[in-house]
Amino acid sequence: NGYSSYDYWDTTWSGTDLLTDGSYHGETCSGEDSSGVGYLGSGGEIDVTDIVVDHFLLKFKIIFWLVDDWDNEDFKILLRDNDDSSETVLLTHTSDVDSHTSDECGGDANDLRVEFESSHISHTDTNVKLIITSDIDEPASDKSFGVVSIRLLLAKCSPACATCSGPGNGNCDSCASGYSLQNDDCIL
């Protein structure tokens, strides 16, 4: 399944967990609640922010829909750092939905369901800030996107570590309360 023996913190956001403008807006596509469908067009985005456990790697899986005639436009997932000073593009999915023959979300054009699972990504910030957006330049009444779910896995630091660069007690960068750092190892 692509997961190693790391100790993971695991969470999933779906449906009403995925808010746009502070509210849930979505439609059902092929029986799945999809936040944003029919609402997120040009300039639209879903922000997912969570305070998380101390970790050194992240991995995510997303299921999303591209609705009504995307013509080589990009769906994007960005990872912003804690102070919003930089962001990393985690996924750019370019699609020509016209080439598909399924209309699962209503409207009068073709839709595409996509599942994507990332590789491990180095990450140690105390927050995870995912921005889900696109470069479509038309209103949601013409084309939109929606997210069914996002699963986030974080490879946790040893309980003795406050921050770390890898698994186990020998990769600590700083220590949890009551421990002291000696040669990358937190000891009582």
Side-chain angles (χ1 to χ4, degrees), residues 31-181:
E32 298 176 310
D33 286 335
S34 300
S35 182
V37 169
Y39 184 77
L40 292 173
S42 177
E45 65 180 35
I46 295 174
D47 298 347
V48 178
T49 302
D50 205 348
I51 298 170
V52 296
V53 298
D54 296 321
H55 63 282
F56 57 97
L57 293 173
L58 70 76
K59 183 177 182 125
F60 71 94
K61 180 177 183 179
I62 185 167
I63 301 171
F64 60 94
W65 283 92
L66 305 178
V67 180
D68 291 343
D69 288 334
W70 283 53
D71 46 5
N72 294 312
E73 291 151 315
D74 293 336
F75 172 90
K76 298 176 184 177
I77 300 177
L78 311 171
L79 177 66
R80 289 208 179 126
D81 66 3
N82 278 346
D83 62 5
D84 291 334
S85 64
S86 68
E87 60 189 24
T88 303
V89 177
L90 299 181
L91 170 67
T92 299
H93 180 87
T94 304
S95 189
D96 181 4
V97 175
D98 284 341
S99 64
H100 299 275
T101 58
S102 173
D103 182 13
E104 301 292 332
C105 302
D108 59 358
N110 297 327
D111 309 319
L112 176 65
R113 182 182 189 271
V114 180
E115 290 188 36
F116 175 80
E117 186 171 334
S118 75
S119 58
H120 282 105
I121 301 159
S122 291
H123 186 267
T124 58
D125 282 353
T126 55
N127 292 332
V128 172
K129 295 180 181 185
L130 296 177
I131 310 301
I132 302 157
T133 189
S134 75
D135 68 355
I136 57 177
D137 57 1
E138 297 172 62
S141 58
D142 292 338
K143 60 181 78 170
S144 65
F145 63 92
V147 177
V148 175
S149 65
I150 303 170
R151 180 179 183 201
L152 179 66
L153 295 152
L154 301 174
K156 296 191 290 187
C157 294
S158 163
C161 302
T163 60
C164 68
S165 57
N169 199 25
N171 288 301
C172 298
D173 296 324
S174 64
C175 297
S177 180
Y179 291 85
S180 59
L181 186 63

